[in-house]
Amino acid sequence: MTNIRQNPFLTLNLGISLSGLFLVLILASNAPTIQEGIPWRKPLVGLVFSIICMFGILAALSPRQCSRSLHFRRENLNSTDHQIHLSSHHPDCEEFSAHVIHISGHDLCAACTGLLFGAVIALIGSSFYFFGGWHIKEAGLGAVLAGVVGVVLGFFQLRFRGFVRLVCNMFFVLGAFLILVGMDELIESLFVDCFLLALTVFWILTRIQLSQWDHWRICSNCKSPCEERFRNNG
């Protein structure tokens, strides 16, 4: 059985990501209102976060182009290769059934669908907060706490399947948005906002790496004569 601790780089990134969340909680619970008075602070932060969301939407809408799992092939007993039907960007394989949801006869990647929903909602929310003059006032700390829970759910989404996995990935994106908005409301600092934007990108990259590791783990533990399994084990 493949253990995540056997990938030290991923373990390190997860440790940094969770440490970042812990630091966010410390800052939120002891947040001084800096109020730098920079008029373009919120529009700039909102623009950068919106760009991150839009890239996420494009990636979720084109999972085949963004996945390393494009060319899953299987060999039959006569060594004649044939292409497997793809469920979203996953192979039509029982081992990947937890990754896929079925809606109206269509097979969709649960994680990508959840990330898509979350990014769209976060993009709408950022337009209201950063460009529309929306404030959450005393709810800043609550938003941060809810955001931390959402990001943690995103990192632990591999333990779930189907629609629960979809919801976890949706809350992963919304969690990052709530943390950014909540901390911006509490501290009002461009430096803190930039730190959180960088941390958000790091969370996303770690989340992608975690998903890639999970795909590799599934293929490595699979006993069927699949070319992708041999490629992963090689």
Side-chain angles (χ1 to χ4, degrees), residues 8 55 101 105 117 144 166:
F55 272 112
I101 58 174
F117 289 163
V144 173
L166 182 154

Side-chain angles (χ1 to χ4, degrees), residues 26-191:
I26 293 178
L27 287 174
S29 59
N30 302 275
T33 302
I34 298 177
Q35 294 182 337
E36 295 171 331
I38 304 176
W40 44 265
R41 176 182 58 83
K42 287 184 69 171
L44 176 63
V45 173
L47 176 62
V48 175
F49 185 77
S50 297
I51 291 174
I52 295 173
C53 288
M54 287 187 284
F55 272 112
I57 291 172
L58 291 175
L61 289 174
S62 304
R64 296 189 183 189
Q65 284 72 23
C66 300
S67 173
R68 296 177 58 190
S69 305
L70 269 173
H71 302 295
F72 282 82
R73 299 175 63 88
R74 182 177 296 273
E75 299 178 355
N76 61 18
L77 296 178
N78 295 323
S79 299
T80 302
D81 295 339
H82 64 281
Q83 192 73 28
I84 301 179
H85 168 69
L86 291 175
S87 299
S88 182
H89 61 120
H90 297 296
D92 189 13
C93 173
E94 180 62 29
E95 297 297 327
F96 283 91
S97 60
H99 295 245
V100 180
I101 58 174
H102 309 283
I103 301 178
S104 301
H106 297 282
D107 296 330
L108 301 174
C109 172
C112 289
T113 305
L115 293 173
L116 173 63
F117 289 163
V120 170
I121 297 173
L123 186 60
I124 295 173
S126 64
S127 66
F128 280 104
Y129 179 80
F130 292 106
F131 304 104
W134 180 47
H135 291 277
I136 57 176
K137 298 181 181 179
E138 293 82 10
L141 180 59
V144 173
L145 295 176
V148 169
V149 172
V151 173
V152 170
L153 283 176
F155 285 129
F156 283 92
Q157 55 92 27
L158 297 179
R159 294 185 173 273
F160 305 101
R161 58 188 299 122
F163 283 96
V164 178
R165 181 174 291 215
L166 182 154
V167 172
C168 288
N169 280 278
M170 181 178 69
F171 279 121
F172 175 73
V173 183
L174 293 179
F177 167 70
L178 289 174
I179 289 173
L180 179 62
V181 170
M183 292 293 287
D184 182 82
E185 194 77 17
L186 290 170
I187 301 180
E188 301 183 31
S189 166
L190 179 62
F191 175 79

